Amino acid sequence: MLTVTLCVIASCDTCFAQPNITSGKNHFDTESAALATLAKLGWWATATGALLCPACAMDAAERLCQQRGHLWAPWRPCWCHGKSLPHTTPGRPAVCGGELRWCARCQHGETRFPGTGTKAVA
């Protein structure tokens, strides 16, 4: 008996990579199932319908940020809570005073500390 089965196989439209799924199941029953799994793995489906692996998606995000600017999240307090000596505020050793923010699109980050300018971290 011969059975014909149709499935969905994903590959990056830029580099042609296929997803690295630990279960070994690179074939999907539906496009929706493929897109749901790929989204969890960091793949992007663009507005034009292109499918991008995480590396190509990050390249595309960085190019878009260069053209349009970053999508900054709000500044957040530094996580060191004054325990990192380079982060301490003079006269207030237990207070860091530093802040961090990240781009929601390309993950570029910046820090700023009292009395200093903004510095790129990624």
Side-chain angles (χ1 to χ4, degrees):
M1 177 172 162
L2 297 174
T3 304
V4 176
T5 304
L6 299 178
C7 67
V8 176
I9 300 173
S11 62
C12 178
D13 285 323
T14 302
C15 72
F16 308 107
Q18 291 190 338
N20 184 12
I21 300 175
T22 55
S23 67
K25 186 181 178 213
N26 287 335
H27 298 245
F28 302 93
D29 295 331
T30 65
E31 288 182 10
S32 296
L35 291 172
T37 300
L38 294 171
K40 292 176 188 173
L41 296 172
W43 286 61
W44 283 13
T46 68
T48 61
L51 185 62
L52 302 177
C53 70
C56 292
M58 188 57 64
D59 289 344
E62 289 171 355
R63 281 193 304 276
L64 192 56
C65 284
Q66 287 174 351
Q67 294 168 356
R68 298 184 183 172
H70 293 291
L71 294 175
W72 291 116
W75 285 101
R76 304 277 184 204
C78 180
W79 304 306
C80 83
H81 303 289
K83 293 183 173 71
S84 174
L85 186 59
H87 292 186
T88 57
T89 303
R92 299 176 66 199
V95 178
C96 171
E99 295 179 303
L100 306 106
R101 69 178 181 174
W102 299 94
C103 174
R105 184 176 22 233
C106 75
Q107 301 304 309
H108 175 80
E110 290 184 339
T111 59
R112 67 181 180 191
F113 293 92
T116 64
T118 302
K119 177 180 165 188
V121 294

